[in-house]
Amino acid sequence: MATIIVVTSGKGGVGKTTSSASIAVGLAQRGNKTVVIDFDVGLRNLDLIMNCERRVVYDFVNVINGEATLNQALIKDKHVDNLHILPASQTRDKDALSKEGVERVLNELGERFDYIICDSPAGIEHGAQMALYFADQAVIVTNPEVSSVRDSDRILGILQSKSRRAELGLEPIKEHLLLTRYNPERVEIGEMLGVKDVEEILAIKLLGVIPESKAVLTASNQGTPVILDQTSDAGQAYSDAVDRLLGENREHRFIDLPKKGFFKRMFGG
């Protein structure tokens, strides 16, 4: 059976869909059969970042309702073998996701894929709870600011109490912290929380630190997950995070300010 990983956050706009896309691509690049599902019914952004919006004919809700098969709804990724996308519906309500329907689709996907990435809507409403309910692992995406971290702490409480694993008394969901839009210069002057501050508040293992980078916006506008841009700090940071997700040891980069050379220390700049 596949490993189900939910990518979630308490607050919107923290880079959750960007992270879902890059994690899915990274897993597929390493030879794993991977599918990424957009649970954000009514809004749907994953297909834009994956550059497949014009190829959407059937969606997740169509499959749940028996209006289409998985084969009809799954879209093969343009960039990476082993990767498929299951888009959300733009015209339905989030209540269209029933627990029984989601479980049936996940079970069917589990027979065909190694990893199922669930791109959750932000917050704690119905769509978000459906995305996290069946998870084996969770990637908590947060920005280094107090409100984002506080909302992520609330999500951790829901993962630990309202998931299937919690209900059945199984081993808890494995939780990972992904810190996005990190800028060590702003940390230095007290405008952002530092990595250790966030780790101390949330008390979960750090999966990765994604630096603030124009490359993320550029990649999103081009419909290319930023992990494919290995010339960028953000692309390299996502690649490191995927390696850690697979159990490899990778030193965390892009956390500290670059050390100044001798001449910069002497003369400034």
Side-chain angles (χ1 to χ4, degrees):
M1 287 293 287
T3 299
I4 302 173
I5 302 175
V6 63
V7 181
T8 184
S9 69
K11 189 176 180 183
V14 297
K16 184 169 34 52
T17 298
T18 294
S19 299
S20 296
S22 284
I23 289 169
V25 167
L27 289 169
Q29 282 178 324
R30 287 152 180 78
N32 301 288
K33 292 180 181 176
T34 305
V35 59
V36 55
I37 308 174
D38 191 345
F39 273 80
D40 205 352
V41 176
L43 291 177
R44 196 172 87 189
N45 287 314
L46 180 66
D47 57 308
L48 292 172
I49 288 179
M50 304 297 288
N51 194 21
C52 64
E53 70 277 9
R54 290 182 297 276
R55 295 161 65 187
V56 177
V57 178
Y58 295 108
D59 57 54
F60 190 15
V61 175
N62 290 138
V63 179
I64 285 175
N65 291 341
E67 299 157 355
T69 66
L70 264 179
N71 280 339
Q72 290 175 294
L74 285 172
I75 299 170
K76 192 175 187 308
D77 185 63
K78 297 176 181 178
H79 309 102
V80 187
D81 288 336
N82 294 328
L83 179 59
H84 287 77
I85 302 101
L86 183 56
S89 170
Q90 279 186 311
T91 59
R92 309 290 181 100
D93 188 82
K94 288 179 172 59
D95 290 335
L97 298 178
S98 66
K99 191 176 286 186
E100 297 76 17
V102 170
E103 182 174 24
R104 179 171 48 78
V105 173
L106 290 176
N107 286 342
E108 192 174 339
L109 289 170
E111 295 173 1
R112 299 169 55 176
F113 292 94
D114 301 314
Y115 286 94
I116 300 171
I117 308 301
C118 302
D119 180 29
S120 169
I124 57 173
E125 43 70 44
H126 181 74
Q129 292 198 26
M130 284 297 97
L132 67 81
Y133 181 77
F134 296 99
D136 301 308
Q137 300 188 39
V139 176
I140 317 299
V141 183
T142 188
N143 291 160
E145 57 179 63
V146 172
S147 62
S148 181
V149 175
R150 180 197 62 199
D151 290 346
S152 293
D153 206 20
R154 192 175 182 194
I155 288 293
L156 287 170
I158 291 170
L159 284 166
Q160 293 161 9
S161 60
K162 291 193 172 183
S163 66
R164 177 173 60 175
R165 285 176 171 269
E167 284 183 4
L168 298 178
L170 303 174
E171 187 179 339
I173 291 173
K174 190 175 181 181
E175 300 157 342
H176 310 274
L177 170 62
L178 188 66
L179 194 56
T180 54
R181 295 181 183 163
Y182 192 78
N183 186 327
E185 289 183 2
R186 294 180 64 190
V187 173
E188 185 101 337
I189 59 176
E191 290 184 356
M192 276 184 175
L193 295 173
V195 173
K196 285 187 170 55
D197 298 322
V198 179
E199 285 185 290
E200 192 172 305
I201 295 167
L202 297 180
I204 58 175
K205 190 170 182 180
L206 182 65
L207 180 68
V209 177
I210 312 300
E212 200 168 42
S213 172
K214 291 180 181 177
V216 174
L217 180 59
T218 301
S220 295
N221 287 337
Q222 293 173 346
T224 307
V226 72
I227 194 172
L228 293 171
D229 179 8
Q230 284 297 299
T231 63
S232 70
D233 289 353
Q236 294 171 40
Y238 273 117
S239 191
D240 288 350
V242 171
D243 287 338
R244 292 187 199 102
L245 194 61
L246 293 171
E248 296 183 31
N249 288 320
R250 289 286 182 272
E251 187 177 348
H252 288 282
R253 301 186 276 170
F254 317 115
I255 290 178
D256 301 314
L257 282 170
K259 292 182 180 177
K260 291 183 177 180
F262 174 77
F263 288 105
K264 284 192 174 181
R265 289 201 306 273
M266 289 293 292
F267 302 110

